[in-house]
Amino acid sequence: MVADPGQTKNIAQETPEVAAQMATAVAKWRSEVLPKSKDDRPYPVGYAEFPRTPLPARDGVPHGGIKRSASAPNSSYFVNWSSLGDTITWDIEVSTTGTYDVEILYTCPVADAGSTIELEFNGSKIIGEVTPGWDPPLYTNQDTITRPAAESKMKEFHALKLGPASLSKAAAS
C-alpha cells in the first residue's frame, strides 16, 4: 500500500500463495453474501402513492440487436435499436388497475426521426412516433476521475409522451 497506493501493479504472480488465499476468501464471501440465483421478482408499477414509476434500463432485457451502452446494467442505457425484430422487455407487476401516462426517454439520430415505437402490455398497445430526432453528443467531462469501462458515458435524453395506457392489476412481461 505504501509503495503502490493506487494499486496499479499486479503482484499476484510474485506472491501466488497470497493471491490464492485472497481468491478463496472472495469465493467464500460471494457464496455467503450474494444470492444463489437471479432475482426474478417482477418490477412493481402502478401505485397511486407514486405518480411516476420509471422502468430503469438496468431492469430491462434487450432482445435482437439491442445492446447495453456498457457492461454494468446499473449504469447503462440501450443502444443499437435498428430492426423491427428488436425489443426490450420488463417483467412488471401492476399494483393498482388504472390508466397511466407513458413517457419514454430516448435519443434518435435525426435521420431516423419518424420511426415507430410500440408499447404492449397484456394485449393492450400504444403506438407512437419517435420525433423529433434527438442525438446529442456524449458528455465528455462528466466526472473529475476516469470512469471504469463498465460504466456508460452520460447523454441527454428527450422525453416522448407516448400517451395513456390502461394497466390491469396483474403480473406479466
Side-chain angles (χ1 to χ4, degrees), residues 29-164:
W29 175 85
R30 285 186 174 146
S31 72
E32 293 172 353
V33 175
L34 298 179
K36 304 295 182 221
S37 63
K38 181 182 177 287
D39 182 356
D40 61 357
R41 293 174 293 174
Y43 194 83
V45 300
Y47 286 91
E49 301 84 359
F50 303 104
R52 294 182 60 93
T53 305
L55 294 180
R58 70 161 189 262
D59 295 311
V61 178
H63 306 276
I66 298 175
K67 307 283 183 224
R68 293 190 178 278
S69 59
S71 61
N74 64 329
S75 63
S76 70
Y77 44 89
F78 293 110
V79 297
N80 200 40
W81 195 329
S82 58
S83 165
L84 290 175
D86 293 345
T87 61
I88 304 169
T89 58
W90 283 262
D91 182 18
I92 66 170
E93 181 175 44
V94 178
S95 172
T96 306
T97 296
T99 301
Y100 298 90
D101 290 327
V102 176
E103 180 180 272
I104 296 173
L105 301 179
Y106 75 94
T107 66
C108 173
V110 174
D112 293 336
S115 296
T116 302
I117 189 165
E118 180 179 293
L119 176 78
E120 180 180 350
F121 179 75
N122 283 348
S124 177
K125 293 181 185 180
I126 302 175
I127 299 174
E129 186 175 296
V130 179
T131 185
W134 180 259
D135 196 17
L138 295 171
Y139 291 137
T140 57
N141 189 20
Q142 69 190 45
D143 252 328
T144 56
I145 60 169
T146 304
R147 304 307 300 164
E151 292 185 18
S152 293
K153 293 234 186 254
M154 294 185 333
K155 188 169 189 158
E156 187 176 345
F157 292 87
H158 188 72
L160 170 63
K161 294 186 185 299
L162 204 52

